[in-house]
Amino acid sequence: MRIGWIGLGRMGRPMVMNLITKGFDVTVQNRSQEKVIQLVDIGATAGSSYAQMGEDFKVLIVSCL
């Protein structure tokens, strides 16, 4: 299952890391690209824009804290 995730703050980043370690295909997007790059390094895919994320995923999680 492909999962789109927007928001990699205190809650989002650890949750995405857990999904990646469990074998899920996760595409991420965040205001600061540094957090996106860190997750890409461990197996996530970088989303190109928020609009693209909304169009491309049946499952899209938005985490803002």
Side-chain angles (χ1 to χ4, degrees):
M1 173 187 294
R2 292 179 57 226
I3 299 171
W5 197 289
I6 297 173
L8 303 171
R10 285 184 265 166
M11 286 179 50
R13 186 173 180 272
M15 294 171 82
V16 169
M17 290 174 68
N18 189 44
L19 289 170
I20 292 168
T21 61
K22 302 294 183 203
F24 286 91
D25 180 7
V26 185
T27 299
V28 295
Q29 183 61 280
N30 194 62
R31 281 183 306 152
S32 78
Q33 290 303 298
E34 179 181 330
K35 293 181 180 183
V36 172
I37 292 166
Q38 291 171 351
L39 291 171
V40 166
D41 288 344
I42 65 167
T45 302
S48 59
S49 71
Y50 295 123
Q52 171 261 330
M53 298 284 287
E55 293 173 2
D56 290 351
F57 291 93
K58 290 183 181 181
V59 176
L60 180 63
I61 299 167
V62 179
S63 176
C64 45
L65 177 66

